[in-house]
């Protein structure tokens, strides 16, 4: 590179900059800048040409002013002129200005590109370097378009200097990152790979970066790089620290290159045996070097060395094939676990987490359990503690589960609030996964609730209940433990929930003991009742009614509690309804009925633990694939809930159906019947008015998760012997009643609001051409609450599938309050069709599932193509279509005022051409058009004769297809 | 109430920091510096709220004065106090500059203790302050003097001490007005108002009772009811005052009931009243602009000014500022009178005329060369502004009388020498072009 000569100091610039720095106030600075700008403007305007030096100086000043935050709107031309200068410094300033201030001004871009091209072709390494730097620092799509083809040539040309090659490789990398589609793959790729053999290490480093990025997208093309990389790596690793001269960093030979090579190798599976031997050797050497005493006390030395080591270890983990290496890596990391550098400990824990999942090294990782536990307890940095918790989770198996779980539980008492919930989930999962006996499991979870009740999410304690219900052997133990736990003066609400549920189901198992006799159990639970939230109280009420069944001796007491004004007249509808229903149930029903209704819960179907899903979600998108997430939400309803929330169940859920769900009930669920159940009950029992609750409470949601498939409302059973209609597990409900009317609005127009209620607005925008159409649906959330699980789907009823193809794009599952999402539908008409497709929209609003079904405004007339023809032609065709089944005629009364203009507009909107001077009566309308479908075309002629006196119309349609005639006739008739 | 008071230099370094209440911490000092002085965008609001703390600031040349509070205070009161504080400082050491403040550290802290107590503003009358905070160090005061100070500070008339004696009883009255205008290119007045001050300098003995009279419309009309012919005979115009404020010495009850301004003046200089009028303003100058764009690279500007007052009067310090586009590359100016120059640092042509009599007219024409730019933005054409000074009150205010009564001492109204002066200055005086 040419040195900047002393004479190029640009004194004027220095003076200007020092003036600016000496300004006392912003105003003074602006004044100085204005003055300078005026000066430069007059200089640039001046008639005599400026020499290169002053041009450079002024451009430099402009650049400085721009960097101070002022707008610069001139001087670009001068900067471009500088590009064509032959002096390095002038060219440099020109490029600097361009790369900072470039804008996509077409004429200038052309000039700039030209200058860059010239420089690239100049064979002057300094100029080529400048040009490449400019391309890379601008890095825009336009640059990529112009030069993506050129740079590879520079890169692989034989006569290019090393420094230029280096720049070219990095420049190409930058362009590839911004616009990968514009960088062509070609025969240069194989030659790029050979740059790994280059003598100049700088070139190799740059090339490795480029190849790594390229190989991630096109692994096949760069396969050959593996062996080259391995041999290069082995040469570096085996070299003495003095061999590489400039590329030795604190006694470590080429650390950056080594790291990059190791990264590159991680793009590929383990190589074939010949190369693999060499690679293993390299990795071993790296591991050996880590054992050697450090050659320098400087932190840079150990940083560089460890960087290579960690990259090597991640390569070992990536290959996961050499047990020997894995174990050695694990031991090496074990040493780092006790290192005094916090960063090293963090990295070691992180790498060990991945090592723990390998079958070869799992045992080796386990040997460090004490160190890790120690780290969890004593580490000062919370992020390191979090890694330690992760590692404990990863290394856990049947053999050490008890130890790890107890350690984590102990840690939980002092853990940071930020990671508590995660640890709770982990403990819950580990306890379940590796439980040998379930009494241990129950103990653990109850402990968990005791220690960190606030952080125990719903899923965790649902899971306990599921497991206890499903395992006969722990039920007694669970009841006993829960009973004991509840005796603590202050216990967490989650504990009360678990206790209430378990005692309600299995309280009888411990009733024999006088210390836990039924009245004692009841009074214990009831002592907590008043301190709990509504959801818990509702659950406890269910427990009480179960007690009436289990222990008839408590009936009087419990009825007294239910009868108390605080229950019967509770402000909360849910509690009130439960109290009223349970009270009546207990007094009306015979013991047999009670025993049937309040029988023990059936076992839950086995399924994936919902806790696991929750942990995945917590870990963020990185840990859990989007698929998992997407699947989880519907499944919690499908599998756990059993009943799909159809609109009918949503509107009037039957709150009593949940906990008391009956196995004995006839299997078909009766949502429509239960829909009426709430109201029906009031009539039947004639008790205090209880309103059906308006929406499911959170309680409802979880209980529906707990309940067995096909629950039946006991109330419905008692009260309503009428046959229950079975809607079946149909995916979508019937279209809403207004659907047809809404559809009619869109027969003659393409845009508008399709549907609107308090929650949601659906707008439509559509366009049709020939047999293709595109429709934009806009879903607007009118509330301030986020919609969840938002999923609009298009359904083809009947055999519409074969007539109309509708492609939908997925939309985001969440719609924020007040936000709007857009869905694009691509529609292709395959054949003529009669019924429109259905649009089913379902989402959760504030926990309550909502669903609605609409008719998509796609009717056959949308694919009309208007045809102009003369009167003669028209009549000729009209006569051709004279078969009786080709004609459809309708005489109907006008629904709207008869206005010729409006009618005309409607007919045009309908899609047909309007033909003037065809009908002898000028009042009449005549139209013609062709319906375009993929399979066939249907010619179509229409005639509309208004009779103003009678306020009647006669509409006649003749098409080549009978069904089309009738359908069109019906559609159009509704419009007038 | 005010929790603390800071003074910064232009770099944001703290020169004076006085905290009156515990709720203001040291970090408040930095908060203001970071969020206001060094803010990326220039902060234009004088009140800034940062982390539930309010900062009220005024700027004097390169010095920032900021009052800080966590409470809901009366912002007008705080600003009044800040302005008062500036006045006090100016009275002690002249111009408020970094150097002056650094040289008078002790003095300023002493004063801050006196004029602000636990955040409550106290007596900030310069004359009164000067009696007990002196620049020459503490003179040993006699017992008598000390008790005098106490009685003055705690007494009813805090702004004047007793026992003042002058051989010549003299007083000076200045009516200072600034006239603001925004005019359309066609000469239509878009907005105009005059804000004025009556400043009095009194050198009177004893405890004189003064009464000030002017041609206030309400007063004139009230009198007119009694003696209608007298007003018409005098032919005086009366003016409508939109709003006014008085020095604390003026008896407001009397003003409210009789609309008469009577007071016992402080010794030395003080501002008797401030007022604002918007009706029947005499606009001393009329600016007629003419801008013509000749192609993309040239602009022709012609500006005519006309003076609009009595030919016997002379306007002074006239300056017309004609903004130029941002891509100006050269300017040629021709003017008939005065001097004109293109000032690149301010992006304007500045035309200065020393003196100009009434009912005259003068003009300037300029050719501006432009550099073609890539920007398609059109020039915003900022208004042409003007500065001047005229020897009359553009609002039409006239002093009718100022009577002095001193019952105890033996001098009467006739013995007092009175001087009255009118100065009208331009405020923001702009004409769109």
């Amino acid at each position: 590179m040419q040195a900047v000569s002393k004479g190029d100091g640009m004194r004027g610039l220095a003076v200007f900059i020092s003036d600016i720095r000496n300004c006392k106030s912003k105003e003074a600075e602006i004044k100085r800048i204005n003055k300078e700008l005026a000066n430069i403007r007059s200089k640039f305007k001046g008639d005599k040409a400026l020499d290169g030096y002053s041009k450079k100086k002024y451009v430099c000043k402009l650049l400085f002013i721009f960097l101070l935050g002022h707008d610069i709107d001139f001087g670009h031309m001068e900067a471009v002129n500088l590009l064509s200068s032959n002096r390095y410094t002038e060219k440099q300033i020109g490029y600097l200005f361009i790369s900072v201030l470039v804008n996509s001004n077409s004429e200038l871009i052309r000039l700039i590109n030209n200058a860059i091209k010239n420089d690239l072709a100049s064979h002057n390494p300094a100029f080529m370097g400048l040009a490449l730097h400019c391309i890379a620092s601008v890095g825009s799509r336009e640059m990529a378009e112009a030069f993506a083809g050129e740079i590879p040539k520079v890169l692989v040309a034989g006569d290019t200097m090393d420094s230029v090659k280096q720049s070219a490789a990095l420049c190409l990398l930058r362009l590839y990152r911004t616009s990968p589609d514009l960088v062509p793959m070609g025969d240069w790729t194989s030659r790029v790979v050979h740059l790994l053999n280059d003598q100049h290490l700088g070139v190799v480093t740059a090339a490795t970066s480029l190849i790594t990025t390229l190989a991630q997208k096109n692994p096949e093309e760069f396969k050959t790089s593996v062996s080259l990389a391995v041999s290069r790596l082995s040469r570096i690793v085996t070299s003495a620290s003095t061999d590489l001269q400039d590329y030795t960093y604190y006694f470590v030979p080429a650390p950056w290159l080594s790291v990059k090579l190791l990264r590159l190798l991680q793009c590929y599976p383990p190589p074939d045996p010949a190369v693999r031997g060499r690679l293993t050797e390299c990795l071993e050497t790296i591991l050996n070097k880590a054992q050697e005493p450090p050659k320098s006390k400087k932190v840079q030395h150990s940083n560089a060395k460890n960087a290579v080591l960690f990259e090597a270890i991640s390569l070992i983990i990536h290959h996961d094939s050499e047990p020997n290496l894995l174990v050695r890596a694990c031991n090496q990391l074990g040493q780092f676990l006790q290192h005094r550098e916090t960063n090293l400990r963090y990295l070691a824990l992180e790498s060990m987490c991945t090592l723990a999942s390998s079958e070869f090294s799992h045992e080796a990782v386990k040997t460090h359990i004490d160190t890790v536990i120690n780290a969890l307890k004593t580490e000062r940095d919370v992020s390191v503690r979090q890694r330690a918790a992760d590692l404990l989770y990863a290394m856990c198996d049947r053999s050490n589960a008890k130890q790890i779980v107890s350690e984590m539980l102990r840690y939980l008492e002092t853990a940071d609030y930020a990671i508590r919930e995660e640890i709770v989930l982990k403990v819950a999962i580990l306890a379940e996964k590796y439980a040998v006996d379930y009494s241990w499991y129950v103990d653990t979870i109850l402990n968990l609730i005791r220690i960190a009740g606030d952080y125990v999410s719903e899923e965790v304690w649902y899971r306990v209940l599921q497991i206890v219900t499903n395992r006969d052997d722990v039920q007694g133990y669970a009841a006993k433990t829960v009973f004991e736990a509840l005796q603590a003066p202050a216990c967490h609400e989650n504990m009360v929930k678990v206790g209430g549920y378990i005692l309600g189901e299995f309280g009888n198992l411990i009733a024999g003991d006088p210390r836990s006799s039924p009245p004692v159990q009841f009074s214990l639970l009831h002592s907590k009742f008043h301190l709990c939230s509504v959801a818990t109280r509702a659950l406890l009420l269910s427990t009480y009614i179960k007690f009436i069944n289990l222990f008839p001796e408590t009936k009087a007491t419990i009825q007294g509690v239910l009868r108390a004004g605080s229950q019967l007249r509770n402000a909360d509808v849910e509690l009130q309804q439960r109290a009223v229903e349970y009270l009546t149930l207990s007094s009306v029903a015979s013991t047999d009925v009670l025993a049937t209704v309040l029988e023990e819960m059936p076992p839950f179907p086995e399924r994936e633990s919902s806790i696991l899903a929750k942990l995945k979600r917590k870990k963020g998108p990185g840990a859990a694939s989007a698929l998992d997430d997407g699947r989880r939400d519907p499944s919690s309803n499908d599998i756990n809930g059993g009943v799909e929330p159809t609109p009918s169940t949503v509107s009037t859920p039957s709150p009593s159906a949940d906990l008391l769900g009956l196995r004995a009930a006839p299997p078909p669920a009766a949502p429509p019947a239960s829909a009426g159940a709430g109201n029906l009950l009031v009539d039947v029992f004639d008790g205090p008015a209880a309103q059906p609750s308006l929406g499911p409470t959170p309680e409802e949601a979880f209980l529906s998760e707990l309940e067995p498939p096909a629950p039946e409302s006991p109330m419905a059973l008692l009260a309503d012997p009428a046959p229950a209609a079975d809607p079946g597990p149909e995916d979508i409900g019937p279209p809403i009643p207004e659907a047809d009317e809404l559809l009619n609005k869109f027969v003659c127009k393409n845009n508008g609001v399709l549907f609107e209620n308090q929650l949601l607005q659906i707008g439509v925008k559509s366009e049709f051409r020939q047999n293709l159409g595109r429709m934009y649906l806009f879903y607007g959330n009118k509330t301030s609450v986020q919609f969840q699980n938002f999923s609009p789907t298009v359904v083809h009823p009947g055999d519409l599938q074969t007539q109309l193809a509708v492609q939908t794009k997925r939309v985001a599952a969440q719609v924020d309050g007040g936000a709007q999402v857009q869905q694009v539908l691509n529609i292709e008409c395959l054949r003529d069709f009669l019924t429109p497709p259905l649009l089913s929209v379902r989402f959760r609003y504030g926990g309550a599932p909502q669903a609605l079904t609409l008719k998509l405004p796609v009717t056959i007339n949308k694919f009309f193509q208007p045809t102009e023809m003369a009167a003669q032609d028209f009549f000729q065709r009209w006569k051709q279509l004279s078969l009786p089944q080709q004609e459809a005629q309708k005489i109907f009364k006008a629904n709207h005022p008869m206005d010729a203009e409006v009618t005309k507009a409607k007919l045009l909107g309908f899609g047909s051409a309007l033909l003037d001077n065809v009908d002898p009566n000028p009042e009449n309308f005549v139209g013609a058009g062709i319906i375009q479908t993929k399979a066939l075309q249907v010619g179509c002629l229409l005639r509309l004769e208004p009779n103003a006196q009678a306020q009647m119309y006669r509409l006649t349609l003749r098409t080549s297809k009978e069904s089309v005639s009738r359908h069109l006739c019906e559609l159009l008739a509704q419009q007038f | 109430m005010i929790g603390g008071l800071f003074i910064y230099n232009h770099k944001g370094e703290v020169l004076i920091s006085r905290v009156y209440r515990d709720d203001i911490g040291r970090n408040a000092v930095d908060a203001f510096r970071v969020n206001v002085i060094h803010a990326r965008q220039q902060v234009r609001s004088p009140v800034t709220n940062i982390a539930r703390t309010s900062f009220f600031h005024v700027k004097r040349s390169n010095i920032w004065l900021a009052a800080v509070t966590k409470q809901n205070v009366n912002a007008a009161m705080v600003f009044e106090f800040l302005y008062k504080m500036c006045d006090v400082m100016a009275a002690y050491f002249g111009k408020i500059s970094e150097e002056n403040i650094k040289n008078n550290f002790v003095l300023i802290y002493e004063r801050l203790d006196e004029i602000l107590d636990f955040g409550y503003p106290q007596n900030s009358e310069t004359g009164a302050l000067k009696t007990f905070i002196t620049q020459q160090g503490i003179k040993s005061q006699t017992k008598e003097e000390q008790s005098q100070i106490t009685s003055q500070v705690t007494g009813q008339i805090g702004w004047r001490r007793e026992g003042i004696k002058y051989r010549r009883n003299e007083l000076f009255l200045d009516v200072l007005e600034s006239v603001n205008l925004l005019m359309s290119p066609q000469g239509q007045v878009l907005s105009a108002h005059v804000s004025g001050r009556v400043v009095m300098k009194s050198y009177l003995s004893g405890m004189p009772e003064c009464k000030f009279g002017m041609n206030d419309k309400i007063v004139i009309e009230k009198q007119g009811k009694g003696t209608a012919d007298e007003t018409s005979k005098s032919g005086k115009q009366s003016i409508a005052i939109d709003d006014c404020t008085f020095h604390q010495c003026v008896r407001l009850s009397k003003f409210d009931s009789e609309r008469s301004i009577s007071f016992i003046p402080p010794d030395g200089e003080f501002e008797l009243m401030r007022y604002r009028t918007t009706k029947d303003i005499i606009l001393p100058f009329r600016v007629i602009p003419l801008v013509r764009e000749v192609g993309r690279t040239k602009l022709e500007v012609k500006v005519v000014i006309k003076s609009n007052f009595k030919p016997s009067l002379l306007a002074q310090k006239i300056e017309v500022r004609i903004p130029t586009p941002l891509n100006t590359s050269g300017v040629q100016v021709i003017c008939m009178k005065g001097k004109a120059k293109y000032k690149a640092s301010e992006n304007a042509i500045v035309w200065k005329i020393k003196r100009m009599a009434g009912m005259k007219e003068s003009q300037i024409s300029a050719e501006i060369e432009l550099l073609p730019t890539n920007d398609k933005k059109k020039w915003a054409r900022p208004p042409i502004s003007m500065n001047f000074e005229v020897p009359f009150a553009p609002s039409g205010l006239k002093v009718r009388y100022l009577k002095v009564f001193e019952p105890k001492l033996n001098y009467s109204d006739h013995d007092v020498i009175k001087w009255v002066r009118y100065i009208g200055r331009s405020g923001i005086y702009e004409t769109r072009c």
Side-chain angles (χ1 to χ4, degrees), chain A residues 24 31 34 41-42 45 76, chain B residues 10 326 328 345 370 374:
Chain A
K24 286 248 159 109
K31 273 190 175 174
N34 278 337
R41 279 196 299 262
S42 67
K45 172 85 181 180
H76 299 81
Chain B
H10 73 280
L326 291 176
T328 303
S345 60
L370 303 176
N374 311 330

Side-chain angles (χ1 to χ4, degrees), chain A residues 185-198:
Chain A
M185 291 294 147
D187 50 350
W188 58 274
T189 49
S190 58
R191 297 175 68 182
V192 165
V193 171
H194 284 282
L195 286 179
L196 289 179
N197 268 337
D198 202 286

Side-chain angles (χ1 to χ4, degrees), chain A residues 577-811:
Chain A
Q577 186 174 5
R578 283 194 191 218
V580 171
E581 288 181 0
Y582 291 160
L583 183 61
T584 326
L585 176 66
S586 66
S587 45
V588 171
S590 69
T591 23
D592 283 354
V593 174
L594 265 187
T596 324
V597 172
L598 303 171
E599 205 185 346
E600 196 179 293
M601 290 290 281
F604 291 90
E606 279 305 332
R607 56 180 162 245
E608 193 207 1
S609 163
S610 52
I611 314 178
L612 218 54
K614 165 119 182 174
L615 183 69
K616 279 185 199 157
R617 243 185 317 166
K618 245 193 100 59
K619 284 280 187 174
S625 69
L627 184 81
D628 272 348
D629 268 0
R631 207 167 49 99
R632 199 249 154 210
D633 288 320
S635 71
S636 69
N637 271 324
D638 285 346
I639 311 172
N640 299 11
V643 176
E644 189 68 30
T646 54
S648 51
T649 49
V650 172
S651 54
T652 37
S654 155
S656 49
D658 35 59
L659 196 63
L660 308 166
L662 281 190
R663 216 172 359 171
S674 74
N679 298 323
L680 206 63
L681 280 171
V682 182
D683 297 338
V684 170
F685 292 116
D686 198 25
Q691 302 159 334
S693 60
L694 297 170
T697 57
E699 169 84 347
E700 214 57 59
F702 94 76
L703 283 170
S704 77
E705 215 168 89
L706 285 175
E707 81 196 12
E712 167 72 298
S713 159
M715 293 306 167
L717 184 75
L718 283 173
D720 183 20
D726 182 11
E730 199 184 46
D731 264 329
I732 56 163
I736 56 170
E738 315 90 297
D740 274 315
E741 201 182 305
L742 293 169
L743 181 70
N744 273 336
K745 281 201 318 196
F746 283 88
V747 168
C748 291
K749 63 176 186 173
N750 287 335
N751 307 329
V753 175
L754 177 61
F755 174 78
E756 183 160 25
N757 64 8
Q758 310 97 292
L759 304 177
L760 184 71
Q761 186 189 46
I762 306 179
V764 177
K765 220 177 149 179
S766 52
E767 47 188 349
F768 295 88
R769 188 163 297 144
Q770 303 219 334
N771 67 329
L772 300 175
R774 174 170 293 175
M775 181 175 283
Y776 300 91
L777 292 171
F778 299 90
Y779 303 95
N781 182 349
K782 288 171 69 180
T783 67
S784 54
V785 185
Q786 195 187 50
F787 289 161
Q788 269 143 356
N789 300 0
F790 189 82
S791 73
T793 42
V794 173
V795 185
H796 302 74
D799 54 355
L800 187 61
Q801 194 81 50
T802 59
Q803 297 162 345
L804 194 71
V806 180
Q807 278 183 346
T808 54
K809 299 239 166 81
R810 282 192 65 87
V811 294

Side-chain angles (χ1 to χ4, degrees), chain A residues 222-236:
Chain A
F222 295 92
K223 222 170 179 178
T224 44
S225 64
V226 173
S227 58
L228 290 177
V230 170
S231 63
R232 178 51 93 172
L233 185 65
S234 79
R235 259 181 286 159
I236 295 171

Side-chain angles (χ1 to χ4, degrees), chain B residues 389-402:
Chain B
E389 211 179 284
V390 287
F392 62 93
S395 67
L397 182 128
K398 293 258 161 47
V399 176
R400 289 170 61 214
Y401 56 81
L402 193 116

